[in-house]
Amino acid sequence: MSISLLLHLLLALCPYTAALLPTQHRKGVVSRRSMMSRLRENARSLDGQREKISSDNIFFIEVGFGNDSHGQSATKAAVRACRNAIEFNSIPSIKRLIPDGGYDALKLDVLLAVPSKYQEGLDLDEVAKVFPYGDVRFELQDGGMIAPSGIAIERLGDVNDDMIIVCSSVTVGH
């Protein structure tokens, strides 16, 4: 099966696959390796350890969203957003499609839109655990949403009634 045919099949089966977010609002790039140390150093200008996936090597793009209704955890919301983006996918023929390596050669570019007020608490090492294989590269941008949950419940970790919503775009390629 050709890559082109696979992409057309994926687009037909999942209409949300073709979503891309504009790049002009992206705030930083960070690779999975040492991502948290770099994020803490300078959240606005992060250097990635590899280039973005070339458009010629993209298999598909999935989007998702997640929230933390109580506890104000951007990490929990981002984990849920990434899980939402990839949870209905299976690519059993990946070893035939990717030269030299199959699943181990996959590259994942993950764009997270996180409310700026909560970006500092984001643990990208924890978010990266969502992905069972591939070299994960993160990009962060201001976005997502802070919505009122209507109640702050102290025993659930709430410090206010903010509900944190994170959007994700996961590009899969090689």
Side-chain angles (χ1 to χ4, degrees):
M1 175 182 286
S2 74
I3 292 175
S4 177
L5 182 58
L6 176 65
L7 288 175
H8 287 290
L9 178 63
L10 285 169
L11 287 170
L13 293 174
C14 184
Y16 305 108
T17 299
L20 280 172
L21 294 173
T23 59
Q24 66 266 29
H25 301 294
R26 294 179 186 175
K27 295 294 183 185
V29 177
V30 64
S31 178
R32 184 175 181 173
R33 294 175 207 91
S34 74
M35 62 184 80
M36 285 313 295
S37 61
R38 290 182 184 194
L39 184 61
R40 288 188 182 111
E41 285 172 15
N42 187 350
R44 294 294 179 215
S45 59
L46 303 170
D47 295 322
Q49 293 193 8
R50 71 165 168 80
E51 295 294 316
K52 288 173 58 171
I53 300 168
S54 160
S55 60
D56 292 339
N57 294 330
I58 292 174
F59 289 127
F60 61 90
I61 300 165
E62 287 289 340
V63 295
F65 82 97
N67 78 303
D68 183 26
S69 297
H70 297 286
Q72 294 75 46
S73 172
T75 300
K76 187 183 290 186
V79 164
R80 290 174 175 168
C82 290
R83 196 177 312 136
N84 180 244
I86 67 167
E87 67 188 346
F88 299 109
N89 293 308
S90 177
I91 318 169
S93 60
I94 207 73
K95 287 184 180 182
R96 290 191 314 266
L97 298 171
I98 297 181
D100 304 322
Y103 290 102
D104 292 332
L106 272 179
K107 293 179 182 175
L108 305 170
D109 285 349
V110 180
L111 174 61
L112 296 173
V114 181
S116 59
K117 176 179 175 181
Y118 289 98
Q119 285 182 8
E120 190 171 315
L122 182 61
D123 182 350
L124 292 176
D125 290 322
E126 193 64 30
V127 178
K129 292 177 185 176
V130 169
F131 304 101
Y133 41 75
D135 177 26
V136 181
R137 176 183 164 277
F138 288 96
E139 293 184 45
L140 301 177
Q141 71 179 32
D142 291 344
M145 181 187 296
I146 300 172
S149 68
I151 187 169
I153 303 173
E154 215 173 296
R155 66 183 163 92
L156 295 179
D158 283 338
V159 294
N160 56 44
D161 75 340
D162 286 354
M163 183 168 40
I164 311 307
I165 301 166
V166 172
C167 301
S168 67
S169 173
V170 180
T171 300
V172 179
H174 68 96

